[in-house]
Amino acid sequence: MRARSTNPNGRPHGRLLFVYGCIAVAGFGIGRMATANPQEDMVEKVLDAMERIARESNEAKEAGDAGPDTAPDSPDPDKTAASTGFTASPEPDDTTPDGGLPSYRQLPTPDAAGGADKAVVIIKVEDIIDMGLSAFIERAIKNNPDAQALILDINTPGGRVDAATEIRDAIMTAPKTMRTVAFIHPRAISAGAFISFACDLIFIADGGTMGAATPISIGGGGEAQPVDEKMVSYFRTEMAATARAKGRRGDIAEAMVDAEIEIDGITPAGKLLTLDTAGALRWGIADAKANSLDEVLALLALGAAEKRTIELNWAEELARILTHPILSGILMSVGVLGILMELYQPGFGLPGIVGITCLVIFFAGHLVVNLAGWEEVMLFILGVALLGVEIFITPGFGILGALGVFAVVVSLVLALTSMPIDISFSTGTLSTAFARVFVSLLAAVALFFVAFALLPRTRIGGKLVLASTIATTSSGGREGAVIASVLDAGQPGVAESFLRPAGIGRFGDKRIDVVSEGDFIEQGSKIVIVRTQGNRVVVKKEG
């Protein structure tokens, strides 16, 4: 059996705590490099970065850069695809045999009083696009299969690529009888443009903008940072394929992602493409102009249709709150802290209940928004189980403990990401997830040391550490308060179990629940009573 070490003052720093501390400190350093301020609201960082991209694009146009509004004599848009530095993909034939638009992009005769016997679903896509929104849109489509149209009222600077990808997939697989419509009112930037391309029809308001969809990662301080070519290539292909699937020009979609693409008469190399209302209509990206939902419905000949405005339900609202970076970090910290405290002392009490509750809430929120799956939950349980085996069956810290730590960390990181690992790494999502997990573990370990170094010396802390009060005498059990009250300070005994810091001590022929002053004491060690406080017997290692 491997011994655990203590420092010269008798304070516990067993290998388990040492390794946890090292991992947490190392992770904290990584986290600081990935996010200079881990307390900062990452949602606000994404929002600021996306708005900055849109602003810079508009400023470039105002400065006289070539764009959709500065090419009045441009050539036929169906014959202008060209590039420097990158070759735009050849455009497929997206028209019907007679040369017209696909049927799902052909508008009916406008009718403000039409569709009285039909229904339309209306969803607002505002602010940042996150995983909670993707789950919401999936539910709205699934629960309204009879709707004639799904209208997304879009006003967003962008958001998470993985969330936008899931929304795109939900829209592309909507029932054929449900016409999907993007109403850009007034902007669809980045992920918003991606979602718009997935719709059958795109309507855009006066003063609207669409584009600037290059993927970014968020650095310390909230600044937008470029991602590597692998991620750009991935998202460029996704955008182009989505546009072509709906009969739109894939090269224009690619130019919104990759600044190296040049399209004669539309955008020069070195500038991300952002289309305004006139440009979106001129190049066939938008199908019509509309300035209100009533105008959209009239263009669809559904002016009198039943309007089903879908709102987030309580579970989706709660999930979006629980997956907020700050709150999810707190849940991770408190949950891991509770598990550590339970593993370090016998029995099962308040710390374990609180820890498990926090982790259930953490995983439940991420399950609802499709960030986590049952695989991550099972991996976390496996990690905790391995740590339990390492502590209770094979004391010390070896391969099982290392595997347990690894499983716990990986499960928490995976619960914060939903894209493939290589893509998550390229966008910075993976490093952000690692940073959040390690900062949370660091907080849990710090609180763990505080709890078992300081709290046993307080009356309230002693009750928390010694989770179960001394029971009445039973067969093979421990003696109760009557025995504890007659024990004197200085009385010697033997630790019949590991004291982490609570456990069982034998004094003569009596077995008593005891607690150390915070030290880890090996089973079989000689101990001596320091003091008794009611039913609480405090001991230390003899010598």
Side-chain angles (χ1 to χ4, degrees):
M1 181 177 296
R2 291 164 289 181
R4 296 175 187 261
S5 61
T6 57
N7 63 24
N9 296 322
R11 298 286 178 256
H13 61 261
R15 296 183 183 178
L16 171 61
L17 300 183
F18 177 78
V19 173
Y20 262 112
C22 289
I23 292 176
V25 170
F28 180 74
I30 296 172
R32 293 295 293 178
M33 290 186 289
T35 55
N37 183 3
Q39 298 295 330
E40 187 74 19
D41 188 344
M42 291 304 296
V43 173
E44 292 299 326
K45 289 184 177 183
V46 173
L47 186 61
D48 292 342
M50 293 301 184
E51 289 177 342
R52 189 178 303 114
I53 287 177
R55 184 169 61 253
E56 290 173 353
S57 176
N58 289 333
E59 289 173 353
K61 288 196 301 179
E62 292 172 1
D65 290 330
D69 293 323
T70 59
D73 299 321
S74 56
D76 184 352
D78 289 329
K79 301 178 181 179
T80 57
S83 65
T84 58
F86 179 84
T87 303
S89 303
E91 293 301 309
D93 182 5
D94 292 323
T95 60
T96 56
D98 61 359
L101 289 172
S103 59
Y104 50 78
R105 290 195 60 194
Q106 295 175 5
L107 290 173
T109 302
D111 186 358
D117 58 340
K118 296 179 173 61
V120 295
V121 173
I122 301 172
I123 297 175
K124 284 188 174 294
V125 180
E126 296 180 312
D127 299 325
I128 210 74
I129 293 173
D130 58 19
M131 295 302 296
L133 180 63
S134 66
F136 167 52
I137 292 178
E138 289 176 11
R139 175 179 65 85
I141 294 174
K142 180 180 179 181
N143 293 348
N144 295 275
D146 60 326
Q148 187 76 9
L150 169 72
I151 301 174
L152 302 181
D153 189 353
I154 300 175
N155 179 21
T156 176
R160 295 182 59 134
V161 173
D162 49 1
T165 301
E166 291 201 8
I167 294 172
R168 176 260 191 199
D169 292 346
I171 294 171
M172 297 285 283
T173 57
K176 296 297 183 182
T177 56
M178 179 186 292
R179 210 169 207 184
T180 55
V181 180
F183 175 33
I184 300 175
H185 183 218
R187 66 185 56 84
I189 303 301
S190 191
F194 185 33
I195 293 171
S196 299
F197 273 120
C199 294
D200 297 330
L201 296 170
I202 296 177
F203 298 149
I204 188 167
D206 284 324
T209 53
M210 175 185 181
T214 191
I216 60 171
S217 61
I218 304 300
E223 73 277 7
Q225 297 178 344
V227 297
D228 64 22
E229 171 58 26
K230 180 186 293 184
M231 181 59 197
V232 173
S233 175
Y234 163 80
F235 198 54
R236 181 178 62 220
T237 303
E238 285 278 352
M239 282 278 285
T242 303
R244 293 191 184 101
K246 294 298 181 178
R248 299 185 178 92
R249 291 183 55 177
D251 59 340
I252 289 180
E254 289 175 323
M256 292 182 179
V257 178
D258 192 343
E260 296 302 314
I261 293 179
E262 176 185 359
I263 306 177
D264 289 343
I266 299 180
T267 183
K271 295 291 184 181
L272 281 176
L273 176 61
T274 300
L275 296 176
D276 62 6
T277 300
L281 292 169
R282 179 184 305 156
W283 303 111
I285 299 302
D287 297 279
K289 182 171 68 175
N291 289 308
S292 67
L293 280 171
D294 287 339
E295 291 185 22
V296 170
L297 291 172
L299 288 169
L300 295 172
L302 295 171
E306 175 193 355
K307 302 177 184 65
R308 300 176 185 173
T309 302
I310 309 299
E311 303 289 345
L312 291 170
N313 62 29
W314 69 269
E316 290 158 345
E317 289 275 16
L318 183 60
R320 294 184 79 172
I321 295 172
L322 295 177
T323 53
H324 188 284
I326 293 178
L327 184 55
S328 62
I330 292 173
L331 290 172
M332 279 191 287
S333 293
V334 176
V336 172
L337 174 63
I339 296 297
L340 286 176
M341 292 178 71
E342 281 301 327
L343 291 175
Y344 203 64
Q345 65 178 353
F348 188 82
L350 181 61
I353 294 173
V354 173
I356 289 177
T357 300
C358 287
L359 291 170
V360 168
I361 293 173
F362 170 82
F363 280 109
H366 288 73
L367 280 167
V368 169
V369 300
N370 298 324
L371 271 172
W374 288 109
E375 299 85 355
E376 286 83 3
V377 176
M378 297 304 297
L379 184 60
F380 183 87
I381 294 174
L382 175 63
V384 173
L386 290 173
L387 287 173
V389 171
E390 181 70 25
I391 291 173
F392 294 113
I393 300 178
T394 60
F397 196 87
I399 185 63
L400 292 181
L403 289 174
V405 172
F406 179 78
V408 168
V409 171
V410 170
S411 66
L412 293 174
V413 170
L414 292 179
L416 299 176
T417 60
S418 64
M419 298 184 68
I421 295 298
D422 56 341
I423 301 301
S424 296
F425 180 80
S426 298
T427 57
T429 304
L430 193 62
S431 63
T432 299
F434 267 115
R436 289 172 57 189
V437 170
F438 279 119
V439 168
S440 297
L441 289 181
L442 176 66
V445 171
L447 290 173
F448 180 66
F449 275 110
V450 170
F452 284 107
L454 300 179
L455 290 185
R457 293 179 173 82
T458 67
R459 180 171 298 180
I460 296 177
K463 292 180 180 179
L464 290 174
V465 172
L466 190 57
S468 58
T469 58
I470 300 175
T472 56
T473 306
S474 60
S475 176
R478 281 92 70 189
E479 298 292 337
V482 175
I483 298 299
S485 64
V486 300
L487 295 174
D488 298 320
Q491 185 169 339
V494 177
E496 287 219 337
S497 69
F498 293 104
L499 305 187
R500 301 187 178 94
I504 304 170
R506 176 175 291 278
F507 301 89
D509 59 348
K510 305 301 182 183
R511 300 175 75 245
I512 303 294
D513 281 335
V514 298
V515 60
S516 74
E517 294 182 295
D519 306 341
F520 172 82
I521 299 178
E522 290 277 1
Q523 182 180 17
S525 300
K526 292 183 179 181
I527 56 176
V528 61
I529 295 176
V530 176
R531 62 184 177 277
T532 60
Q533 298 173 340
N535 294 340
R536 185 166 175 266
V537 180
V538 182
V539 300
K540 68 178 181 178
K541 191 171 183 179
E542 190 177 61

